[in-house]
Amino acid sequence: MFVALLICLSLVLANVVIGVYTERKVSAFMQDRLGPMVVGKYGSLQLIADLVKLLLKEDIVPKLADKWLFLAAPCMIFVAIFAGFAVIPLGPGEYLQGSQAQIGVFYLLAIVSIDIIGVLMAGWSSNNKYSLLGAMRSVAQIVSYEIPLGLSVLCVVMVSQTLNLQEISTQQGIFSGHDNYLFGLKSLGIDVTQVGGFLTWNIFRVPFFLGVFIIFFIASLAECNRAPFDLPEAESELVGGFHTEYSGMRWALIFLSEYGMMLLVSVLGVILFLGGWNSPFPNIGSVKLATWTSGEPGSWSGAIWGFVWLLAKAYMLIFVQMWVRWTFPRLRVDQLMYLTWKVLTPFSILAVFLSAIWRMFMI
């Protein structure tokens, strides 16, 4: 568990460097620009220059701000998000498993919700009307989108019959102790348990889970305050939102938390819907691709293979988040609320009903 914790901390820190550089390059490519090019080869040292700049900047506290709440808010946001990684299984076996909490899903959703308090603290303690407006927008948005997100997670829990993230991952591969049938239809009689690969992922085990995954992904964008749901931080309207008054490393800590949240929801989406740490390659006859690219369960080779697949899938989702940001315009507040309450929530409730039916009659 201690090894997994150190790896998670390193991941969160390294994710900012990788994420910021990648986003700059991706956005530049989509807008026919070059992006960072001068500092280092292909601008690879630009992030180091930015970090030095943030370290040298003065940590300013507004005169009329509530000092202690103002200083504590960024730390609370970061701690809430980082604590969510405690139950993430980074690979099979015990080496990179993290906490073996049987209520891992419940813990994750509960602990991450605490960042709302940090956001509200940051906006209110700044004594700035724009910061407070951004904080209020953020809280309303996150609370609203947590409903379809939570219901989409509930669908997976109902079908998997467990809150343990490691067990959910194990069920989606060749090491599963349950029988997996093609498209989840036992009537077809095609057992794909030992075939593995993408055929045993949840979006294939339960066909309507593809729609549930789309609901989860849209809600996760709102949870991260990512465009087109970046109303709390709308630079053209609010000059940065709830973190307007922050500077230096405290501003960087809020930025670090945003990219940490992107990684966390992406990893959670991979575990719930895209096979977790299992290989995407299936066994085809005598060509045992799933077996060769999974390693022995409980060994370091298996843990490393699982870690690689988990990160590869997670960064694929992060790339899609960046793609969406630079493709779609920002929603209005009324459109944002309409989407969650009148579109995503009714469909997620229907998905919960279908999951119950599927569990009762198809498994």
Side-chain angles (χ1 to χ4, degrees):
M1 180 178 176
F2 182 70
V3 175
L5 184 62
L6 287 178
I7 292 176
C8 284
L9 179 59
S10 303
L11 263 180
V12 173
L13 297 177
N15 179 63
V16 179
V17 177
I18 298 171
V20 173
Y21 179 78
T22 303
E23 184 149 29
R24 286 175 173 177
K25 284 295 188 179
V26 168
S27 62
F29 173 76
M30 292 181 177
Q31 297 177 348
D32 197 22
R33 297 185 287 109
L34 293 176
M37 288 291 292
V38 178
V39 186
K41 186 71 171 178
Y42 302 114
S44 57
L45 298 180
Q46 182 65 53
L47 269 297
I48 306 299
D50 290 340
L51 180 60
V52 173
K53 177 189 72 174
L54 290 172
L55 285 170
L56 295 177
K57 270 192 172 183
E58 183 181 359
D59 184 14
I60 299 173
V61 179
K63 182 178 181 180
L64 299 179
D66 189 322
K67 181 178 179 181
W68 296 112
L69 288 181
F70 184 84
L71 297 177
C75 300
M76 176 171 284
I77 296 172
F78 175 75
V79 168
I81 293 172
F82 178 67
F85 284 92
V87 293
I88 295 295
L90 300 177
E94 300 178 357
Y95 295 108
L96 301 177
Q97 183 164 308
S99 172
Q100 301 185 37
Q102 294 300 317
I103 55 169
V105 174
F106 181 79
Y107 164 85
L108 182 58
L109 295 179
I111 198 71
V112 170
S113 299
I114 297 177
D115 76 326
I116 297 176
I117 301 175
V119 170
L120 196 57
M121 283 171 54
W124 184 82
S125 64
S126 297
N127 197 30
N128 180 314
K129 60 184 178 181
Y130 294 107
S131 298
L132 180 59
L133 181 57
M136 293 172 63
R137 280 185 175 187
S138 184
V139 170
Q141 173 177 310
I142 293 174
V143 169
S144 298
Y145 276 85
E146 277 183 350
I147 295 174
L149 186 140
L151 290 173
S152 62
V153 172
L154 180 60
C155 293
V156 178
V157 171
M158 292 173 67
V159 171
S160 302
Q161 293 290 286
T162 179
L163 290 168
N164 189 314
L165 291 170
Q166 185 71 294
E167 291 183 18
I168 294 174
S169 297
T170 303
Q171 289 180 17
Q172 301 177 70
I174 57 175
F175 306 126
S176 174
H178 302 78
D179 292 332
N180 291 320
Y181 294 92
L182 185 64
F183 304 126
L185 300 175
K186 189 181 294 185
S187 57
L188 294 177
I190 305 176
D191 189 346
V192 294
T193 306
Q194 296 307 313
V195 175
F198 64 89
L199 293 175
T200 53
W201 293 0
N202 273 336
I203 57 172
F204 290 96
R205 291 175 64 206
V206 185
F208 63 86
F209 268 13
L210 179 59
V212 177
F213 171 65
I214 293 174
I215 294 174
F216 174 89
F217 183 76
I218 294 174
S220 69
L221 289 177
E223 289 287 308
C224 299
N225 289 331
R226 296 284 297 180
F229 306 102
D230 61 335
L231 280 168
E233 304 172 9
E235 293 90 348
S236 59
E237 302 173 31
L238 301 176
V239 203
F242 64 88
H243 51 70
T244 301
E245 299 293 344
Y246 284 93
S247 62
M249 283 308 296
R250 294 191 187 278
W251 180 88
L253 194 59
I254 294 174
F255 205 61
L256 174 67
S257 302
E258 178 180 325
Y259 277 85
M261 187 66 167
M262 287 173 61
L263 179 62
L264 181 61
V265 296
S266 296
V267 169
L268 181 60
V270 168
I271 292 172
L272 295 177
F273 298 98
L274 303 179
W277 38 256
N278 288 289
S279 169
F281 300 118
N283 289 329
I284 305 173
S286 60
V287 182
K288 305 293 184 180
L289 294 177
T291 304
W292 297 339
T293 56
S294 295
E296 291 294 328
S299 66
W300 270 110
S301 63
I304 292 172
W305 270 113
F307 182 67
V308 169
W309 289 126
L310 184 72
L311 275 192
K313 298 173 192 176
Y315 274 100
M316 178 190 69
L317 293 184
I318 291 175
F319 171 76
V320 176
Q321 290 179 352
M322 296 177 180
W323 190 357
V324 168
R325 174 178 181 178
W326 299 103
T327 303
F328 294 103
R330 183 184 303 130
L331 297 178
R332 299 194 311 264
V333 174
D334 61 312
Q335 292 172 329
L336 181 137
M337 290 302 175
Y338 177 91
L339 178 62
T340 181
W341 289 110
K342 294 190 176 182
V343 179
L344 297 183
T345 300
F347 275 104
S348 57
I349 293 173
L350 176 62
V352 171
F353 174 75
L354 292 176
S355 298
I357 299 297
W358 188 272
R359 179 66 198 180
M360 290 173 62
F361 297 104
M362 302 301 294
I363 297 180

Short mmCIF file of all heavy atoms in Angstrom, two decimals, residues 7 12 29 80 85 91 101 113 122 136 144 157 209 232 253 274 281 285 288 295 297 306 314 323 333:
data_model
loop_
_atom_site.label_atom_id
_atom_site.label_comp_id
_atom_site.label_asym_id
_atom_site.label_seq_id
_atom_site.Cartn_x
_atom_site.Cartn_y
_atom_site.Cartn_z
N ILE A 7 3.55 6.06 -5.51
CA ILE A 7 3.35 6.12 -6.96
C ILE A 7 2.22 7.09 -7.30
O ILE A 7 2.31 7.87 -8.25
CB ILE A 7 3.06 4.72 -7.53
CG1 ILE A 7 4.31 3.84 -7.42
CG2 ILE A 7 2.58 4.80 -8.97
CD1 ILE A 7 4.10 2.42 -7.87
N VAL A 12 0.35 12.23 -9.56
CA VAL A 12 -0.38 13.49 -9.50
C VAL A 12 0.54 14.65 -9.84
O VAL A 12 0.16 15.57 -10.58
CB VAL A 12 -1.00 13.68 -8.10
CG1 VAL A 12 -1.63 15.07 -7.98
CG2 VAL A 12 -2.06 12.63 -7.84
N PHE A 29 -2.19 22.48 -32.00
CA PHE A 29 -2.41 21.69 -33.21
C PHE A 29 -3.83 21.90 -33.75
O PHE A 29 -4.04 22.07 -34.95
CB PHE A 29 -2.18 20.21 -32.91
CG PHE A 29 -2.55 19.29 -34.05
CD1 PHE A 29 -1.73 19.17 -35.15
CD2 PHE A 29 -3.74 18.57 -34.02
CE1 PHE A 29 -2.07 18.33 -36.21
CE2 PHE A 29 -4.09 17.73 -35.06
CZ PHE A 29 -3.25 17.61 -36.15
N ALA A 80 -8.41 16.74 -0.69
CA ALA A 80 -9.63 15.99 -0.99
C ALA A 80 -9.47 15.16 -2.26
O ALA A 80 -9.90 14.00 -2.33
CB ALA A 80 -10.81 16.95 -1.13
N PHE A 85 -7.20 8.91 -4.43
CA PHE A 85 -6.33 7.91 -5.04
C PHE A 85 -6.01 6.75 -4.09
O PHE A 85 -5.42 5.75 -4.51
CB PHE A 85 -5.01 8.55 -5.49
CG PHE A 85 -5.14 9.37 -6.74
CD1 PHE A 85 -5.41 10.73 -6.68
CD2 PHE A 85 -5.00 8.78 -7.98
CE1 PHE A 85 -5.53 11.49 -7.82
CE2 PHE A 85 -5.11 9.54 -9.14
CZ PHE A 85 -5.38 10.89 -9.06
N GLY A 91 -2.92 -1.89 -10.34
CA GLY A 91 -2.57 -3.12 -11.02
C GLY A 91 -3.12 -4.31 -10.24
O GLY A 91 -3.62 -4.16 -9.13
N ALA A 101 -10.17 -1.39 0.61
CA ALA A 101 -11.46 -1.06 1.20
C ALA A 101 -12.59 -1.69 0.40
O ALA A 101 -12.65 -1.58 -0.83
CB ALA A 101 -11.65 0.45 1.26
N SER A 113 -16.02 14.77 -2.86
CA SER A 113 -17.04 15.82 -2.72
C SER A 113 -16.60 16.91 -1.75
O SER A 113 -17.16 18.02 -1.78
CB SER A 113 -18.35 15.21 -2.23
OG SER A 113 -18.85 14.26 -3.15
N ALA A 122 -12.50 29.26 -0.77
CA ALA A 122 -11.63 30.12 -1.57
C ALA A 122 -12.38 31.34 -2.08
O ALA A 122 -11.87 32.46 -2.04
CB ALA A 122 -11.05 29.33 -2.73
N MET A 136 -19.85 30.12 -6.16
CA MET A 136 -21.27 29.72 -6.14
C MET A 136 -21.64 28.94 -7.40
O MET A 136 -22.36 27.94 -7.35
CB MET A 136 -22.16 30.95 -5.98
CG MET A 136 -22.03 31.65 -4.62
SD MET A 136 -22.90 33.22 -4.55
CE MET A 136 -24.59 32.68 -4.79
N SER A 144 -24.93 19.51 -8.79
CA SER A 144 -25.92 19.05 -9.77
C SER A 144 -25.41 17.87 -10.58
O SER A 144 -26.12 16.87 -10.76
CB SER A 144 -26.29 20.21 -10.71
OG SER A 144 -26.87 21.27 -10.01
N VAL A 157 -22.03 -0.75 -10.06
CA VAL A 157 -22.04 -1.43 -8.76
C VAL A 157 -23.14 -2.48 -8.72
O VAL A 157 -22.94 -3.60 -8.21
CB VAL A 157 -22.21 -0.40 -7.62
CG1 VAL A 157 -22.44 -1.10 -6.29
CG2 VAL A 157 -20.98 0.50 -7.54
N PHE A 209 -24.26 -0.10 -21.30
CA PHE A 209 -23.26 0.60 -20.50
C PHE A 209 -22.45 1.60 -21.33
O PHE A 209 -21.80 2.48 -20.77
CB PHE A 209 -22.31 -0.39 -19.82
CG PHE A 209 -22.76 -0.79 -18.43
CD1 PHE A 209 -24.04 -0.48 -17.99
CD2 PHE A 209 -21.92 -1.47 -17.57
CE1 PHE A 209 -24.46 -0.83 -16.71
CE2 PHE A 209 -22.32 -1.83 -16.30
CZ PHE A 209 -23.59 -1.51 -15.87
N PRO A 232 -17.47 28.27 -13.83
CA PRO A 232 -16.88 28.84 -12.61
C PRO A 232 -15.56 29.57 -12.85
O PRO A 232 -15.20 30.46 -12.08
CB PRO A 232 -16.66 27.61 -11.71
CG PRO A 232 -17.65 26.61 -12.21
CD PRO A 232 -17.72 26.83 -13.68
N LEU A 253 -1.24 25.33 -6.76
CA LEU A 253 -1.84 24.20 -6.07
C LEU A 253 -3.27 23.96 -6.55
O LEU A 253 -3.70 22.81 -6.69
CB LEU A 253 -1.81 24.45 -4.56
CG LEU A 253 -2.10 23.25 -3.65
CD1 LEU A 253 -1.08 22.14 -3.89
CD2 LEU A 253 -2.08 23.67 -2.19
N LEU A 274 -13.93 0.47 -18.74
CA LEU A 274 -12.97 0.10 -19.80
C LEU A 274 -11.96 -0.94 -19.36
O LEU A 274 -10.82 -0.96 -19.81
CB LEU A 274 -12.25 1.36 -20.31
CG LEU A 274 -13.14 2.47 -20.84
CD1 LEU A 274 -12.32 3.66 -21.30
CD2 LEU A 274 -14.01 1.97 -22.00
N PHE A 281 -6.15 -6.49 -25.48
CA PHE A 281 -5.98 -7.49 -26.54
C PHE A 281 -6.59 -8.83 -26.13
O PHE A 281 -6.30 -9.34 -25.05
CB PHE A 281 -4.50 -7.69 -26.87
CG PHE A 281 -3.82 -6.44 -27.34
CD1 PHE A 281 -2.77 -5.89 -26.61
CD2 PHE A 281 -4.22 -5.79 -28.49
CE1 PHE A 281 -2.15 -4.74 -27.02
CE2 PHE A 281 -3.61 -4.63 -28.93
CZ PHE A 281 -2.56 -4.11 -28.19
N GLY A 285 -7.44 -17.86 -30.55
CA GLY A 285 -6.94 -19.20 -30.81
C GLY A 285 -5.69 -19.48 -30.00
O GLY A 285 -5.64 -19.31 -28.78
N LYS A 288 -2.17 -16.09 -27.68
CA LYS A 288 -2.67 -15.67 -26.38
C LYS A 288 -2.26 -14.23 -26.06
O LYS A 288 -1.44 -13.96 -25.17
CB LYS A 288 -2.16 -16.61 -25.29
CG LYS A 288 -2.48 -18.08 -25.52
CD LYS A 288 -3.98 -18.34 -25.44
CE LYS A 288 -4.31 -19.82 -25.57
NZ LYS A 288 -5.77 -20.09 -25.49
N GLY A 295 0.63 -10.68 -17.86
CA GLY A 295 1.59 -11.14 -16.86
C GLY A 295 0.93 -12.07 -15.85
O GLY A 295 -0.28 -12.29 -15.86
N PRO A 297 -0.67 -13.14 -12.46
CA PRO A 297 -1.33 -12.43 -11.36
C PRO A 297 -0.54 -12.58 -10.06
O PRO A 297 -0.05 -13.66 -9.74
CB PRO A 297 -2.69 -13.13 -11.26
CG PRO A 297 -2.50 -14.46 -11.92
CD PRO A 297 -1.47 -14.26 -12.98
N GLY A 306 -0.33 -4.22 -15.77
CA GLY A 306 -1.59 -3.59 -15.38
C GLY A 306 -1.46 -2.09 -15.22
O GLY A 306 -2.34 -1.33 -15.66
N ALA A 314 -6.30 5.76 -19.24
CA ALA A 314 -6.64 7.00 -18.54
C ALA A 314 -6.19 8.21 -19.36
O ALA A 314 -6.95 9.19 -19.50
CB ALA A 314 -6.01 7.02 -17.15
N TRP A 323 -9.54 17.45 -26.10
CA TRP A 323 -10.16 17.57 -27.42
C TRP A 323 -11.50 18.29 -27.31
O TRP A 323 -11.81 19.20 -28.09
CB TRP A 323 -10.33 16.17 -28.01
CG TRP A 323 -10.72 16.10 -29.44
CD1 TRP A 323 -11.00 17.13 -30.29
CD2 TRP A 323 -10.88 14.90 -30.21
NE1 TRP A 323 -11.32 16.68 -31.53
CE2 TRP A 323 -11.25 15.31 -31.51
CE3 TRP A 323 -10.75 13.55 -29.93
CZ2 TRP A 323 -11.51 14.39 -32.52
CZ3 TRP A 323 -10.99 12.64 -30.94
CH2 TRP A 323 -11.36 13.04 -32.22
N VAL A 333 -25.43 29.21 -18.34
CA VAL A 333 -25.82 28.60 -17.07
C VAL A 333 -27.12 27.82 -17.22
O VAL A 333 -27.26 26.71 -16.70
CB VAL A 333 -25.97 29.68 -15.98
CG1 VAL A 333 -26.52 29.08 -14.70
CG2 VAL A 333 -24.64 30.35 -15.70
#
